[in-house]
Amino acid sequence: MQTAADAGDAATLLAAVPADRRVALVDPRFVGHVHALRLGLTDPRFAAATVPGALTAQPEARGALLRALRRTTAAVGAGAPVVAPDTDPAPEDRTVPGRIAVALEAEGTAVKRPELGSLTATVPTDAGARATAESARDGVDDEAVRLRSAVKAHDGFFTTFAISPYSRYIARWCARRGLTPNQVTTASLITALVAAGAAATGTRGGYVAAGILLLVSFVLDCTDGQLARYSLQYSTMGAWLDATFDRAKEYAYYAGLAIGAVRGGDDVWVLALGAMVLQACRHVVDFSFNEANHDAVANTSPTAALSDKLDSVGWTVWARRMIVLPIGERWAMIAVLTALTTPRIVFYALLIGCSLAACYTTAGRLLRSLTRRASRTDRAAQALADLADSGPLAQGVAAVAPGLRGAFTAPAVALLGTLVMIGAALFLPYGSWLTVAAAAVYVLLSGLAVARPLKGALDWLVPPFFRAAEYVTILVLAARSDAPHAVPAAFGLVSAVAYHHYDTVYRIRGGTGAPPQWLVRTIGGHEGRTALVAVLAAVLTHAAGFTTALTALAVAVALVVLVESIRFWVSSSAPAVHDEGELA
């Protein structure tokens, strides 16, 4: 830390700092909480940020900072005091850091101004103002605010009342010992994998241990995010690990339960795969709807107004959060039922609970879409096209087919293709070449559905329909085959494909776009994989070779997707996307 005598001296000192380092300007008369400075000066997600009396810039904003500082110096004089004339409109902008923040924004550099809530951050100009500021600072417990701010505000009932009251203190304990969120995330994954292994024993003791370990894993899962918010240790890698490990933990646990059930004489692999398919389809409904509407123009509807009104009534907020069966409630239910009942009952409860939740959330989204008069943006249409995961076959159809017009044409065509594909897999004789013909129809309809930009009111349904067609077809054909272990192999294939689809979502959320086209072409797109599985079922009818083919396909998809995904996230400059929650 160095002290500058005036604005000109500050410019000289900043120019001497290596270009790859973050720099900060703080008015020497600053009065406030340490955590206020921490929020303004240490959050790695923003190129530039400011609180009253302080400003920081990451390396990418250093050039703009120096230009703004030199302009300020030229305007007020190199030897001017750090406070600008009182004629400036906003008191928080009268300091040199404040003036520079305004200059940066005028130049086009985004400057983050974190909400401070009850925290104090100010630059008093006289003794009376200083005494008032110090009194306000001393009247608020900085550490208590920091702990409350570490907790996400919009969590479910179970997480809010059964986990967060003590997990925040675990997060603080981790921070004081130098542990990182990524380390806690990894510990959560390992604990969940051990829980899956305990469930795979098929014994009552193993099930009890699995339930307890699953809850411990969830506590750690909450702790990693709270640690990131408490210590402001956000990172691209951390955001990716946190998101992907949640899916890996849940699906590994499903597999552990299925293995344990088989050891006890009850084959529930179909139920396990069904639960995974249902949960993945629920997620893609959420992802697609949010991507289609988060930047829509005139994005209002009577349904949304009613939802906001219900959120103003305390008990309805918690009831609605519990109805959707979020991860906290879901894992609590799984853990308790694992310890007390059987894997079959666990999966029945999951399928019933997730089905009701899916009906509730999807109905609400449909009502909002039909009652709002929103205009979707090109960015939203591109996001939906990326989420559709169309491969070379569907893209080829779309390239030569005229775009079908109509407000609801795309989802109707996608739904028709989905019904044709799933219906053929369910009702035609297993291994029939008619199923392959149905897959060809599905390819054609998939291409027609995406031949025009997805800007219609219900076009966000296209990706969920495609996910359901692919996942359910794999599930049904594996379940109907006589090939031994075909369903576990299908479980692996759907897991690999689902990872690719989740990875696509996280990239879009990070503003980096979808995975590269070569990757989508290499793994065939949703329609290519669906058609391939239909062909394999026809060619390898009643043969163990079907299991081998599914396993080989799962391994191939997993290797290609994981290698490219890891390469991207390790080297990516994508922003870290974390849930912030509300102010304490």
Side-chain angles (χ1 to χ4, degrees):
M1 184 175 67
Q2 300 186 61
T3 302
D6 50 45
D9 190 24
T12 301
L13 291 173
L14 287 177
V17 177
D20 61 343
R21 294 186 184 177
R22 175 202 288 267
V23 294
L25 286 172
V26 182
D27 192 292
R29 298 163 301 165
F30 175 87
V31 174
H33 290 97
V34 173
H35 192 52
L37 276 180
R38 189 181 292 113
L39 288 171
L41 302 183
T42 65
D43 195 322
R45 294 172 296 172
F46 309 110
T50 186
V51 294
L55 171 75
T56 186
Q58 297 269 40
E60 59 266 32
R62 286 277 302 277
L65 171 63
L66 282 174
R67 290 192 298 273
L69 185 54
R70 285 165 180 156
R71 286 198 303 273
T72 301
T73 302
V76 303
V82 290
V83 180
D86 286 345
T87 54
D88 282 359
E92 64 270 21
D93 291 335
R94 292 174 185 167
T95 63
V96 167
R99 288 170 61 91
I100 295 172
V102 173
L104 284 173
E105 290 174 320
E107 184 180 310
T109 299
V111 179
K112 175 67 177 179
R113 300 173 185 269
E115 296 290 342
L116 299 180
S118 57
L119 296 175
T120 297
T122 186
V123 178
T125 56
D126 56 51
R130 174 170 287 276
T132 300
E134 289 175 346
S135 176
R137 178 195 62 194
D138 296 340
V140 174
D141 186 340
D142 177 274
E143 180 61 18
V145 171
R146 189 181 181 190
L147 275 172
R148 289 197 302 272
S149 300
V151 178
K152 228 174 16 175
H154 295 294
D155 263 329
F157 182 88
F158 178 76
T159 304
T160 299
F161 294 104
I163 304 297
S164 292
Y166 58 87
S167 61
R168 70 184 75 180
Y169 295 101
I170 300 175
R172 181 172 66 180
W173 182 90
C174 293
R176 291 178 175 177
R177 282 152 185 81
L179 297 177
T180 67
N182 290 356
Q183 291 171 330
V184 178
T185 301
T186 302
S188 175
L189 174 65
I190 293 172
T191 304
L193 294 179
V194 174
T201 64
T203 64
R204 177 52 52 194
Y207 290 147
V208 171
I212 294 172
L213 288 170
L214 188 65
L215 288 178
V216 172
S217 174
F218 182 65
V219 171
L220 293 174
D221 185 52
C222 295
T223 300
D224 64 2
Q226 291 166 357
L227 175 58
R229 287 183 286 273
Y230 180 85
S231 58
L232 299 179
Q233 296 184 73
Y234 300 108
S235 69
T236 299
M237 177 66 74
W240 173 63
L241 291 178
D242 185 50
T244 55
F245 280 9
D246 279 349
R247 306 285 78 76
K249 288 181 289 188
E250 188 164 7
Y251 299 158
Y253 192 81
Y254 291 176
L257 281 175
I259 294 171
V262 170
R263 289 188 170 182
D266 187 15
D267 190 341
V268 297
W269 272 107
V270 170
L271 297 178
L273 181 51
M276 183 171 72
V277 167
L278 178 57
Q279 191 58 30
C281 289
R282 279 187 64 199
H283 281 150
V284 77
V285 167
D286 295 340
F287 297 148
S288 294
F289 179 82
N290 291 335
E291 289 301 325
N293 292 287
H294 88 278
D295 58 355
V297 179
N299 195 20
T300 59
S301 75
T303 306
L306 175 62
S307 178
D308 293 339
K309 185 176 181 180
L310 289 175
D311 278 343
S312 66
V313 182
W315 68 269
T316 65
V317 174
W318 296 116
R320 295 171 71 208
R321 291 185 191 177
M322 293 174 70
I323 287 173
V324 301
L325 204 63
I327 188 170
E329 277 73 2
R330 194 164 67 250
W331 281 31
M333 179 183 74
I334 293 171
V336 172
L337 291 179
T338 298
L340 300 180
T341 64
T342 65
R344 180 172 289 273
I345 293 176
V346 173
F347 287 123
Y348 281 153
L350 266 174
L351 289 167
I352 294 171
C354 289
S355 295
L356 293 175
C359 291
Y360 170 78
T361 55
T362 304
R365 284 161 171 70
L366 286 171
L367 286 174
R368 291 189 184 207
S369 299
L370 292 172
T371 56
R372 65 167 44 120
R373 295 292 181 267
S375 298
R376 271 69 182 189
T377 64
D378 291 338
R379 179 215 165 275
Q382 183 59 53
L384 291 180
D386 292 335
L387 289 173
D389 191 34
S390 299
L393 297 178
Q395 290 176 0
V397 172
V400 300
L404 298 176
R405 297 184 180 275
F408 308 116
T409 301
V413 171
L415 175 59
L416 178 60
T418 298
L419 293 177
V420 167
M421 191 66 252
I422 294 178
L426 276 171
F427 301 115
L428 290 176
Y430 175 78
S432 169
W433 283 95
L434 290 176
T435 304
V436 177
V441 173
Y442 175 66
V443 169
L444 175 64
L445 294 175
S446 297
L448 293 176
V450 296
R452 291 178 62 84
L454 298 176
K455 292 187 175 182
L458 296 180
D459 284 1
W460 57 269
L461 286 169
V462 171
F465 287 149
F466 289 163
R467 293 299 82 75
E470 179 179 5
Y471 296 167
V472 175
T473 297
I474 295 172
L475 165 61
V476 171
L477 291 179
R480 293 188 66 194
S481 75
D482 292 332
H485 310 302
V487 179
F491 189 98
L493 176 57
V494 173
S495 298
V497 174
Y499 176 86
H500 163 62
H501 291 144
Y502 281 111
D503 187 53
T504 301
V505 170
Y506 304 141
R507 295 196 196 204
I508 294 173
R509 282 183 169 181
T512 60
Q517 273 299 302
W518 70 260
L519 175 67
V520 177
R521 289 194 296 268
T522 299
I523 61 176
H526 70 94
E527 80 291 350
R529 291 185 298 269
T530 304
L532 177 58
V533 172
V535 170
L536 291 174
V539 172
L540 303 172
T541 305
H542 306 304
F546 186 53
T547 299
T548 303
L550 289 179
T551 302
L553 183 58
V555 171
V557 171
L559 282 177
V560 173
V561 169
L562 282 172
V563 169
E564 205 287 325
S565 176
I566 292 171
R567 179 211 62 78
F568 170 80
W569 288 104
V570 169
S571 61
S572 173
S573 58
V577 181
H578 289 262
D579 292 322
E580 292 259 9
E582 293 179 347
L583 291 176

